Amino acid sequence: MQSVQQAPARRIYTPSAPIWCPGCGDFGVLASLKKSLSDLGIASKDTVIVGGIGCSGSIHNNLECYGIHSLHGRLLPTAVGVKLANPKLTVIAAGGDGDGYAIGVGHFIHTLKRNPSIVYIVMQNGTYGLTKGQPSPTAALGYEGNKDIPFDAVQTALSIFSTTFIARGFSGNQTQLTELLKGALNHANSNKGLGFLEVLSPCVTYNDTYKQWREQVYNLDAEKGYDRTSRPAALTRTMQLLDEGKIPTGLIYEGTTPSLEANTLTQTEPIALQDITSPSNIPRYEELLKDFR
Ligand SMILES: Cc1ncc(C[n+]2csc(CCOP(=O)(O)OP(=O)(O)O)c2C)c(N)n1
Ligand code: SF4
Ligand SMILES: [Mg+2]
């Protein structure tokens, strides 16, 4: 909940402190998000964060900007709707691996395919943290009796030919995470399409993977000769690393495909930017307002 202080002519929204357990990886994501937005000079009034349902999905409550707590697994269509209504906004969808890769996986695939110019941050902890530690689609084999091979969202994104920015960060590497987030924000705000950033963000209470992930992460940003502009090269190298038991991190792929807005907003001004003072619109507004008078 956000506390609201009333002033004579305006309201000041003061974000509340996070409700997460001490040590939760999501603190690292929040810190990177604050630093990235501030370093890039993106104004609060121009920023909308759409949260999912889960511990991670409350992140929008802790930043001074517009926030929507969406339905479970439905944050992406909500965020895409905001962007299409007003493409001048910085739109960030942020949620968990359960939210995005289980109940929301259909929206995830179609959003990757349609390439809207928003940022999508998934806080991946291999569990459903909020509901006390059931296996999520990314859960390791054997975790809480899990018998399914874990879902890999980065490999999935690489296999969809219209994706344009695919990255993976780690809450345990704040410097890299902030650079990746800035990259995703710049990508989306240059109308190049979706900035997809999966963050390895351990749930210290139900699935503390800090030590294991620290040993497994492999930073592709530091690899000489890695060609992130080639999808086949990115797919081949990341598959090799996965076979070796490593988890590839860094900016994994960057390409060019027209964005959803470029493909759809061609005929008319976006809804939020239309001139509502046009005399031809007045009768329709009057008709709509009748019910409220
Ligand atoms: C339609 C619906 N189904 C199930 C739930 C219960 N539920 C709340 S959060 C959650 C999973 C959250 O996991 P994740 O997205 O990974 O977030 P985390 O808590 O791990 O950050 C579930 C299943 C719900 N709120 N709504
Ligand atoms: S239960 Fe896990 S994911 Fe949720 S706040 Fe605690 S550490 Fe973070
Ligand atoms: Mg989770």
Side-chain angles (χ1 to χ4, degrees), residues 19-26 55-56 125 127 129-130 201-207:
I19 52 166
W20 302 317
C21 312
C24 175
D26 297 352
C55 298
S56 45
N125 54 14
T127 190
L130 187 73
S201 181
C203 168
V204 291
T205 300
Y206 297 109
N207 191 24

Side-chain angles (χ1 to χ4, degrees), residues 49-53 56-60 68-71 75 92-95 99:
I49 303 189
V50 184
I53 300 294
S56 45
S58 66
I59 196 165
H60 60 282
I68 302 174
H69 208 168
S70 189
L71 296 177
L75 78 179
I92 302 164
D99 187 279

